[in-house]
Amino acid sequence: LTPAVAAQAASDCREQREGQPNRAAIPPALRRQVPARDGHRCQAPGCHATRFLEVHHREPRRRGGRNSTANLITLCAACHRLLHEGGVGLAAALPMGGLV
């Protein structure tokens, strides 16, 4: 294996430990399940884009946010970027609290 492939495999195998930041990658099946649950549309109010969809952690991984369907939401790349650049109003308007 190349070093890059080995590093990716190692990160995919990490498990989250209670009280520690989440360093585990979102499993591919879950990464497909969340957009399907959300109708393959951005969940930001008024957007509903169907292209360039990404999966966002409501509770950030660095604060222990889990890779669970309850903590993940589908956003388009533009809304996801806006949210991470300080879109506090967008965060509050997301379904189920939209933690960032």
Side-chain angles (χ1 to χ4, degrees):
L1 293 174
T2 66
V5 172
Q8 180 63 45
S11 70
D12 288 348
C13 295
R14 291 187 185 128
E15 294 180 13
Q16 183 175 354
R17 293 187 175 91
E18 196 64 41
Q20 294 183 0
N22 176 3
R23 300 202 192 305
I26 301 171
L30 185 57
R31 193 171 289 276
R32 290 186 302 269
Q33 182 182 0
V34 172
R37 175 202 65 197
D38 293 340
H40 297 282
R41 293 188 175 279
C42 179
Q43 297 300 294
C47 180
H48 306 296
T50 59
R51 298 178 62 192
F52 308 111
L53 299 177
E54 300 175 353
V55 176
H56 169 72
H57 286 84
R58 297 169 190 271
E59 179 70 26
R61 291 169 24 143
R62 70 181 176 278
R63 290 194 305 216
R66 302 186 78 71
N67 293 337
S68 66
T69 56
N71 191 46
L72 298 171
I73 190 168
T74 305
L75 296 175
C76 70
C79 290
H80 198 188
R81 184 178 59 249
L82 176 65
L83 187 68
H84 282 281
E85 289 177 350
V88 176
L90 175 59
L94 287 176
M96 295 174 46
L99 299 171
V100 295

